[in-house]
Coordinates of all heavy atoms in Angstrom, one line a residue:
M26 N 98.6 157.8 152.5 CA 98.0 157.7 151.2 C 96.5 158.3 151.2 O 96.2 158.9 150.3 CB 98.0 156.2 150.8 CG 97.3 155.9 149.6 SD 98.5 155.7 148.3 CE 97.5 155.2 147.0
L27 N 95.8 157.9 152.2 CA 94.5 158.5 152.2 C 94.4 160.0 152.3 O 93.6 160.6 151.6 CB 93.8 157.9 153.5 CG 92.3 158.4 153.6 CD1 91.4 158.0 152.4 CD2 91.7 157.8 154.9
A28 N 95.4 160.6 153.0 CA 95.4 162.0 153.1 C 95.8 162.6 151.7 O 95.2 163.7 151.4 CB 96.5 162.5 154.1
A29 N 96.6 162.0 150.9 CA 96.9 162.5 149.6 C 95.7 162.4 148.7 O 95.4 163.3 147.9 CB 98.0 161.6 149.0
V30 N 94.9 161.3 148.8 CA 93.7 161.2 148.0 C 92.7 162.3 148.3 O 92.1 162.9 147.5 CB 93.1 159.7 148.1 CG1 91.8 159.7 147.5 CG2 94.1 158.7 147.5
L31 N 92.5 162.4 149.7 CA 91.6 163.5 150.1 C 92.1 164.9 149.7 O 91.2 165.7 149.3 CB 91.4 163.4 151.6 CG 90.8 162.2 152.1 CD1 90.7 162.2 153.7 CD2 89.3 162.1 151.6
A32 N 93.4 165.1 149.7 CA 93.9 166.4 149.3 C 93.6 166.7 147.9 O 93.2 167.7 147.5 CB 95.4 166.6 149.6
L33 N 93.8 165.7 147.0 CA 93.6 165.8 145.7 C 92.1 165.9 145.3 O 91.7 166.6 144.4 CB 94.2 164.6 144.9 CG 95.7 164.5 144.8 CD1 96.2 163.3 144.1 CD2 96.2 165.8 144.1
A34 N 91.3 165.2 146.0 CA 89.8 165.2 145.8 C 89.2 166.5 146.3 O 88.1 166.9 145.8 CB 89.2 164.0 146.5
G35 N 89.9 167.2 147.2 CA 89.3 168.5 147.8 C 89.0 169.6 146.7 O 87.9 170.2 146.7
T36 N 89.9 169.8 145.8 CA 89.6 170.8 144.8 C 88.4 170.7 143.9 O 87.6 171.5 143.9 CB 90.9 171.1 144.0 OG1 92.0 171.4 144.9 CG2 90.8 172.2 143.0
P37 N 88.2 169.5 143.3 CA 87.0 169.4 142.5 C 85.7 169.5 143.2 O 84.8 170.1 142.8 CB 87.1 167.9 141.9 CG 88.6 167.6 141.9 CD 89.1 168.4 143.1
F38 N 85.7 169.1 144.5 CA 84.5 169.2 145.3 C 84.2 170.7 145.7 O 83.1 171.1 145.7 CB 84.6 168.4 146.6 CG 84.5 166.9 146.3 CD1 85.6 166.1 146.6 CD2 83.5 166.3 145.7 CE1 85.6 164.7 146.4 CE2 83.4 165.0 145.5 CZ 84.4 164.2 145.8
A39 N 85.3 171.5 145.8 CA 85.1 172.9 146.1 C 84.4 173.5 144.8 O 83.5 174.4 145.0 CB 86.4 173.6 146.4
Y40 N 84.8 173.2 143.7 CA 84.2 173.8 142.5 C 82.8 173.2 142.3 O 81.8 173.9 142.0 CB 85.0 173.5 141.3 CG 86.3 174.3 141.1 CD1 87.4 173.7 141.4 CD2 86.2 175.6 140.8 CE1 88.6 174.4 141.3 CE2 87.4 176.4 140.7 CZ 88.6 175.8 140.9 OH 89.7 176.5 140.8
A41 N 82.6 172.0 142.7 CA 81.3 171.3 142.4 C 80.2 171.9 143.4 O 79.0 172.0 143.0 CB 81.3 169.8 142.7
Q42 N 80.7 172.3 144.5 CA 79.7 172.8 145.5 C 79.4 174.3 145.2 O 78.4 174.7 145.8 CB 80.3 172.7 147.0 CG 80.4 171.3 147.4 CD 81.2 171.3 148.8 OE1 81.6 172.3 149.2 NE2 81.3 170.1 149.4
S43 N 80.1 174.9 144.4 CA 79.9 176.3 144.1 C 78.6 176.6 143.4 O 78.3 175.8 142.4 CB 81.1 176.9 143.3 OG 80.8 178.2 143.0
S44 N 77.8 177.4 143.9 CA 76.6 177.8 143.2 C 76.8 178.6 142.0 O 75.9 178.8 141.1 CB 75.6 178.6 144.2 OG 76.2 179.8 144.6
N45 N 78.0 179.4 141.9 CA 78.3 180.2 140.8 C 79.8 180.1 140.6 O 80.5 181.1 141.0 CB 77.8 181.6 141.0 CG 78.1 182.5 139.8 OD1 78.5 182.0 138.8 ND2 78.0 183.8 140.1
P46 N 80.3 179.0 140.0 CA 81.8 178.9 139.8 C 82.4 180.1 138.9 O 83.6 180.2 139.0 CB 82.0 177.6 139.2 CG 80.7 177.2 138.6 CD 79.6 177.9 139.4
A47 N 81.6 180.7 138.2 CA 82.1 181.8 137.3 C 82.8 182.9 138.1 O 83.6 183.6 137.6 CB 81.0 182.4 136.5
W48 N 82.5 183.0 139.4 CA 83.2 184.1 140.3 C 84.6 183.8 140.4 O 85.4 184.8 140.5 CB 82.4 184.2 141.6 CG 82.6 183.1 142.6 CD1 81.7 182.1 142.8 CD2 83.6 183.0 143.6 NE1 82.2 181.3 143.8 CE2 83.3 181.8 144.4 CE3 84.7 183.7 143.9 CZ2 84.1 181.4 145.4 CZ3 85.5 183.3 145.0 CH2 85.2 182.1 145.7
L49 N 85.0 182.5 140.3 CA 86.5 182.2 140.3 C 87.2 182.8 139.0 O 88.3 183.3 139.1 CB 86.7 180.8 140.6 CG 86.3 180.2 141.9 CD1 86.4 178.7 142.0 CD2 87.2 180.8 143.0
D50 N 86.4 182.7 138.0 CA 87.0 183.2 136.7 C 87.1 184.7 136.7 O 88.1 185.3 136.3 CB 86.1 182.8 135.5 CG 86.2 181.3 135.3 OD1 87.2 180.6 135.6 OD2 85.2 180.8 134.6
Q51 N 86.1 185.3 137.3 CA 86.0 186.8 137.5 C 87.2 187.3 138.4 O 87.9 188.2 138.1 CB 84.8 187.3 138.1 CG 84.7 188.7 138.3 CD 83.3 189.2 139.0 OE1 82.5 188.4 139.2 NE2 83.3 190.4 139.4
L52 N 87.5 186.5 139.5 CA 88.6 186.9 140.4 C 89.9 186.7 139.7 O 90.8 187.5 139.7 CB 88.5 186.1 141.7 CG 89.7 186.2 142.6 CD1 89.8 187.7 143.1 CD2 89.4 185.2 143.8
S53 N 90.1 185.6 138.9 CA 91.3 185.3 138.2 C 91.6 186.4 137.2 O 92.7 186.9 137.1 CB 91.1 184.0 137.5 OG 92.4 183.7 136.8
E54 N 90.6 186.8 136.4 CA 90.7 187.9 135.4 C 91.1 189.3 136.1 O 91.9 190.0 135.6 CB 89.4 188.1 134.6 CG 89.2 186.9 133.7 CD 87.8 187.0 133.1 OE1 87.1 188.0 133.1 OE2 87.4 185.9 132.4
Q55 N 90.4 189.6 137.3 CA 90.8 190.8 137.9 C 92.2 190.8 138.5 O 92.9 191.8 138.4 CB 89.7 191.1 139.1 CG 89.9 192.4 139.8 CD 88.9 192.6 140.8 OE1 87.8 192.0 140.9 NE2 89.1 193.5 141.8
L56 N 92.6 189.7 139.0 CA 94.0 189.5 139.4 C 95.0 189.7 138.3 O 96.1 190.3 138.4 CB 94.2 188.2 140.1 CG 93.7 188.1 141.6 CD1 93.6 186.7 142.0 CD2 94.6 188.9 142.5
A57 N 94.7 189.1 137.1 CA 95.5 189.2 135.9 C 95.8 190.7 135.5 O 96.9 191.2 135.3 CB 95.0 188.4 134.8
V58 N 94.6 191.5 135.6 CA 94.6 192.9 135.1 C 95.3 193.8 136.2 O 96.2 194.6 135.9 CB 93.2 193.4 134.8 CG1 93.1 194.9 134.7 CG2 92.7 192.6 133.7
E59 N 94.9 193.6 137.5 CA 95.3 194.5 138.5 C 96.6 194.2 139.1 O 97.4 195.1 139.6 CB 94.2 194.6 139.6 CG 93.0 195.2 139.1 CD 91.9 195.3 140.3 OE1 92.2 195.1 141.4 OE2 90.8 195.7 139.9
E60 N 97.0 192.9 139.2 CA 98.2 192.5 139.9 C 99.2 191.7 139.0 O 100.2 191.2 139.5 CB 97.8 191.6 141.1 CG 96.9 192.3 142.1 CD 97.6 193.5 142.8 OE1 98.8 193.6 142.8 OE2 96.8 194.3 143.3
Q61 N 98.9 191.5 137.7 CA 99.7 190.8 136.8 C 100.0 189.3 137.4 O 101.1 188.9 137.3 CB 101.0 191.5 136.4 CG 100.8 192.8 135.7 CD 100.2 193.9 136.6 OE1 100.8 194.1 137.7 NE2 99.2 194.6 136.0
C62 N 99.0 188.8 137.9 CA 99.0 187.5 138.5 C 98.3 186.4 137.6 O 97.1 186.5 137.3 CB 98.2 187.5 139.9 SG 97.9 185.8 140.6
A63 N 99.1 185.4 137.1 CA 98.6 184.4 136.5 C 98.2 183.2 137.5 O 99.1 182.6 138.1 CB 99.6 183.8 135.5
V64 N 97.0 183.1 137.8 CA 96.5 182.2 138.9 C 96.8 180.7 138.5 O 96.4 180.2 137.5 CB 95.1 182.4 139.2 CG1 94.5 181.4 140.2 CG2 94.8 183.8 139.6
D65 N 97.5 180.0 139.4 CA 97.8 178.6 139.3 C 96.6 177.8 139.8 O 96.1 176.8 139.3 CB 99.0 178.1 140.0 CG 100.3 178.2 139.1 OD1 100.2 178.4 137.9 OD2 101.4 178.2 139.6
Y66 N 96.2 178.2 141.0 CA 95.1 177.6 141.7 C 94.6 178.4 142.9 O 95.1 179.4 143.3 CB 95.5 176.1 142.3 CG 96.7 176.2 143.2 CD1 96.5 176.3 144.6 CD2 98.0 176.0 142.7 CE1 97.7 176.4 145.5 CE2 99.1 176.1 143.6 CZ 98.9 176.1 144.9 OH 100.0 176.2 145.8
F67 N 93.4 178.0 143.4 CA 92.8 178.7 144.5 C 92.8 177.9 145.7 O 92.7 176.6 145.7 CB 91.3 179.0 144.2 CG 91.2 180.1 143.1 CD1 91.0 179.8 141.7 CD2 91.3 181.5 143.5 CE1 90.8 180.7 140.9 CE2 91.2 182.4 142.5 CZ 90.9 182.0 141.1
L68 N 92.9 178.5 146.9 CA 92.9 177.9 148.2 C 91.7 178.6 149.0 O 91.3 179.7 148.7 CB 94.1 178.1 149.0 CG 95.4 177.7 148.3 CD1 96.6 178.4 149.0 CD2 95.5 176.1 148.4
N69 N 91.2 177.9 150.1 CA 90.3 178.4 151.0 C 89.1 179.1 150.2 O 88.7 180.2 150.6 CB 90.9 179.5 151.9 CG 92.1 178.9 152.7 OD1 92.1 177.7 153.0 ND2 93.0 179.7 153.0
I70 N 88.5 178.3 149.4 CA 87.3 178.9 148.6 C 86.1 178.8 149.5 O 85.8 177.8 150.0 CB 87.1 178.0 147.4 CG1 88.3 178.1 146.4 CG2 85.8 178.4 146.6 CD1 88.3 177.0 145.3
K71 N 85.5 179.9 149.7 CA 84.3 180.0 150.6 C 83.2 180.8 149.9 O 83.5 181.9 149.3 CB 84.7 180.7 151.9 CG 85.8 180.0 152.8 CD 86.1 180.8 153.9 CE 87.3 180.2 154.6 NZ 87.8 181.1 155.7
E72 N 82.0 180.3 150.0 CA 80.8 181.1 149.7 C 79.9 181.1 150.8 O 79.8 180.2 151.7 CB 80.1 180.4 148.5 CG 80.9 180.3 147.2 CD 80.1 179.7 146.1 OE1 78.9 179.4 146.3 OE2 80.6 179.5 145.1
G73 N 79.2 182.2 151.0 CA 78.3 182.4 152.2 C 77.3 183.4 152.0 O 77.1 183.9 150.8
E74 N 76.7 183.7 153.0 CA 75.7 184.8 153.0 C 75.9 185.6 154.3 O 76.0 185.1 155.4 CB 74.2 184.2 153.0 CG 73.1 185.1 152.7 CD 71.8 184.4 152.6 OE1 71.8 183.4 152.0 OE2 70.8 185.0 153.0
L75 N 75.7 186.9 154.1 CA 75.9 187.9 155.2 C 74.7 188.9 155.0 O 74.8 189.6 154.0 CB 77.2 188.5 155.1 CG 77.5 189.7 156.2 CD1 77.6 188.9 157.6 CD2 78.9 190.3 156.0
A76 N 73.9 189.0 156.0 CA 72.7 189.9 156.0 C 72.0 189.7 154.7 O 71.6 190.8 154.1 CB 73.1 191.3 156.2
G77 N 71.8 188.6 154.2 CA 71.0 188.3 153.0 C 71.7 188.5 151.7 O 71.2 188.5 150.7
R78 N 73.0 188.9 151.8 CA 73.8 189.1 150.6 C 74.8 188.0 150.4 O 75.4 187.6 151.4 CB 74.5 190.5 150.6 CG 73.5 191.6 150.7 CD 74.2 193.0 150.7 NE 74.9 193.2 151.9 CZ 75.7 194.1 152.1 NH1 75.9 195.1 151.2 NH2 76.4 194.2 153.3
L79 N 75.0 187.5 149.2 CA 76.0 186.5 149.0 C 77.4 187.0 149.1 O 77.7 188.2 148.7 CB 75.8 185.9 147.5 CG 74.5 185.3 147.3 CD1 74.5 184.8 145.8 CD2 74.3 184.1 148.2
T80 N 78.3 186.2 149.7 CA 79.7 186.5 149.9 C 80.6 185.4 149.2 O 80.2 184.2 149.1 CB 80.1 186.7 151.3 OG1 79.9 185.4 152.0 CG2 79.3 187.7 152.0
F81 N 81.7 185.9 148.6 CA 82.7 185.0 147.9 C 84.0 185.3 148.4 O 84.4 186.5 148.4 CB 82.5 185.1 146.4 CG 81.1 185.0 145.9 CD1 80.3 186.1 145.7 CD2 80.7 183.6 145.6 CE1 79.0 185.8 145.2 CE2 79.4 183.5 145.1 CZ 78.5 184.6 144.9
E82 N 84.8 184.4 148.8 CA 86.2 184.6 149.2 C 87.1 183.4 148.7 O 86.6 182.3 148.6 CB 86.3 184.6 150.8 CG 85.5 185.7 151.4 CD 85.6 185.6 153.0 OE1 86.7 185.0 153.4 OE2 84.8 186.0 153.6
A83 N 88.3 183.8 148.3 CA 89.2 182.7 148.0 C 90.7 183.3 148.1 O 90.9 184.5 147.9 CB 89.0 182.3 146.5
R84 N 91.7 182.5 148.2 CA 93.1 182.8 148.2 C 93.6 182.3 146.9 O 93.4 181.1 146.5 CB 93.9 182.2 149.3 CG 95.4 182.6 149.2 CD 96.1 182.4 150.5 NE 95.6 183.4 151.4 CZ 96.0 183.4 152.7 NH1 96.7 182.5 153.2 NH2 95.5 184.4 153.5
A85 N 94.3 183.1 146.1 CA 94.9 182.7 144.9 C 96.4 182.6 144.9 O 97.0 183.4 145.5 CB 94.5 183.8 143.7
Q86 N 96.8 181.5 144.4 CA 98.3 181.3 144.3 C 98.7 181.6 142.9 O 98.2 181.0 141.9 CB 98.6 179.8 144.5 CG 100.1 179.4 144.3 CD 100.9 180.0 145.4 OE1 100.6 180.1 146.6 NE2 102.1 180.5 145.1
C87 N 99.6 182.6 142.7 CA 100.1 183.0 141.4 C 101.2 182.1 140.9 O 101.9 181.5 141.7 CB 100.6 184.4 141.5 SG 99.4 185.6 142.0
A88 N 101.4 182.0 139.6 CA 102.5 181.2 139.0 C 103.9 181.6 139.6 O 104.8 180.8 139.7 CB 102.5 181.3 137.6
D89 N 104.0 182.9 140.0 CA 105.3 183.4 140.4 C 105.4 183.3 141.9 O 106.5 183.8 142.5 CB 105.5 184.9 140.0 CG 104.5 185.8 140.5 OD1 103.7 185.5 141.5 OD2 104.4 187.0 140.1
G90 N 104.6 182.7 142.6 CA 104.7 182.4 144.0 C 104.0 183.4 144.9 O 103.7 183.1 146.2
R91 N 103.5 184.5 144.4 CA 102.7 185.4 145.2 C 101.4 184.9 145.6 O 100.8 184.0 144.8 CB 102.5 186.8 144.5 CG 103.9 187.4 144.3 CD 103.6 188.8 143.5 NE 103.2 188.5 142.2 CZ 102.3 189.3 141.5 NH1 102.0 190.5 141.9 NH2 101.9 188.9 140.3
Q92 N 100.8 185.3 146.6 CA 99.4 185.0 147.0 C 98.5 186.2 147.3 O 99.1 187.2 147.8 CB 99.3 184.0 148.2 CG 99.9 182.7 148.0 CD 99.7 181.8 149.2 OE1 99.4 182.3 150.3 NE2 99.7 180.5 149.0
F93 N 97.3 186.2 146.9 CA 96.3 187.2 147.1 C 95.0 186.7 147.6 O 94.6 185.6 147.2 CB 96.1 188.1 145.8 CG 97.3 188.7 145.2 CD1 98.1 188.2 144.3 CD2 97.5 190.1 145.6 CE1 99.2 188.8 143.8 CE2 98.5 190.7 145.1 CZ 99.4 190.1 144.2
D94 N 94.4 187.4 148.5 CA 93.1 187.1 149.0 C 92.1 188.0 148.2 O 92.3 189.2 148.0 CB 92.9 187.4 150.5 CG 93.5 186.3 151.3 OD1 93.8 185.2 150.9 OD2 93.9 186.6 152.5
G95 N 91.0 187.4 147.8 CA 90.0 188.2 147.1 C 88.7 187.9 147.8 O 88.3 186.8 148.3
A96 N 87.8 189.0 148.1 CA 86.6 189.0 148.7 C 85.6 189.9 148.0 O 86.0 191.0 147.6 CB 86.7 189.4 150.2
L97 N 84.4 189.4 147.8 CA 83.3 190.2 147.2 C 82.0 189.9 147.9 O 81.7 188.8 148.3 CB 83.2 189.8 145.8 CG 82.1 190.5 144.9 CD1 82.6 190.7 143.6 CD2 80.8 189.7 144.9
T98 N 81.3 190.9 148.3 CA 79.9 190.9 148.9 C 79.0 191.5 147.8 O 79.2 192.7 147.6 CB 79.9 191.5 150.2 OG1 80.8 190.9 151.1 CG2 78.5 191.4 150.8
E99 N 78.1 190.8 147.4 CA 77.1 191.3 146.5 C 76.3 192.4 147.1 O 76.1 192.4 148.3 CB 76.2 190.2 145.9 CG 76.9 189.2 145.1 CD 75.9 188.2 144.4 OE1 74.7 188.0 144.9 OE2 76.3 187.7 143.4
P100 N 76.0 193.5 146.4 CA 75.9 193.6 144.9 C 77.2 194.2 144.3 O 77.2 194.6 143.2 CB 74.7 194.6 144.8 CG 74.9 195.5 146.0 CD 75.3 194.6 147.1
A101 N 78.3 194.2 145.1 CA 79.6 194.8 144.5 C 79.9 193.9 143.3 O 79.5 192.7 143.2 CB 80.7 194.7 145.5
D102 N 80.5 194.6 142.3 CA 80.9 193.8 141.1 C 82.4 193.6 141.0 O 82.9 193.0 140.1 CB 80.4 194.5 139.9 CG 80.9 195.9 139.7 OD1 81.5 196.4 140.6 OD2 80.6 196.5 138.6
K103 N 83.2 194.1 141.8 CA 84.7 193.9 141.8 C 85.1 193.4 143.2 O 84.5 193.7 144.2 CB 85.4 195.2 141.6 CG 85.3 195.7 140.2 CD 86.2 196.9 139.9 CE 87.6 196.4 139.7 NZ 88.5 197.4 139.3
F104 N 86.1 192.5 143.2 CA 86.6 192.0 144.3 C 87.6 192.9 145.1 O 88.2 193.7 144.4 CB 87.4 190.7 144.1 CG 86.6 189.5 143.8 CD1 86.1 189.2 142.5 CD2 86.4 188.6 144.7 CE1 85.3 188.2 142.2 CE2 85.6 187.4 144.6 CZ 85.1 187.2 143.2
I105 N 87.6 192.9 146.4 CA 88.6 193.5 147.2 C 89.8 192.6 147.3 O 89.6 191.4 147.7 CB 88.0 193.9 148.6 CG1 86.9 194.9 148.5 CG2 89.2 194.5 149.4 CD1 86.2 195.1 149.8
I106 N 90.9 193.1 146.7 CA 92.1 192.2 146.7 C 93.1 192.7 147.6 O 93.4 193.8 147.7 CB 92.6 192.2 145.3 CG1 91.6 191.5 144.3 CG2 94.0 191.4 145.2 CD1 92.0 191.6 142.8
S107 N 93.7 191.8 148.4 CA 94.8 192.1 149.4 C 95.9 191.1 149.2 O 95.7 189.9 149.0 CB 94.3 192.2 150.8 OG 93.7 191.0 151.2
K108 N 97.1 191.6 149.2 CA 98.3 190.7 149.0 C 98.6 190.1 150.2 O 98.6 190.6 151.3 CB 99.5 191.6 148.5 CG 100.7 190.9 148.2 CD 101.9 191.7 147.7 CE 103.0 190.7 147.3 NZ 104.2 191.6 146.7
C109 N 98.9 188.8 150.2 CA 99.3 188.0 151.4 C 100.8 188.2 151.5 O 101.6 188.0 150.6 CB 99.0 186.5 151.2 SG 97.2 186.2 151.0
G110 N 101.2 188.5 152.7 CA 102.6 188.8 153.0 C 103.1 188.0 154.2 O 102.3 187.2 154.8
V111 N 104.3 188.1 154.6 CA 104.8 187.5 155.8 C 104.1 188.2 157.0 O 104.1 189.4 157.0 CB 106.3 187.6 155.9 CG1 106.9 187.0 157.1 CG2 106.9 187.0 154.6
Q112 N 103.6 187.4 157.8 CA 103.0 187.9 159.1 C 103.8 187.4 160.3 O 104.2 186.2 160.4 CB 101.5 187.3 159.2 CG 100.6 187.8 158.0 CD 99.3 187.3 158.2 OE1 99.0 186.5 159.0 NE2 98.4 187.8 157.4
V113 N 103.9 188.3 161.2 CA 104.6 188.0 162.5 C 103.6 188.1 163.6 O 102.9 189.1 163.7 CB 105.8 189.0 162.7 CG1 106.5 188.7 164.0 CG2 106.7 188.9 161.5
C114 N 103.5 187.1 164.4 CA 102.6 187.1 165.5 C 103.3 187.5 166.8 O 104.4 187.2 167.0 CB 102.0 185.7 165.7 SG 101.0 185.2 164.3

């Protein structure tokens, strides 16, 4: 039960901690245009800094089951999008 509560509580906190949550909207819009992906939700939302530049990363789950990773390092204005596929180790 506690794990379920923590899992449900994790998403709002990820948005609340974001210094600029608008970047998720930007990623969602870019995925809709470039990949015809209607984003259901985001996973692994990360913000950071690399060499003094802000970085943004997230995995998007599309309504049709596909997943994409999006990454942006400022001053870039578009995300680098890569499709998540089956990986064999």
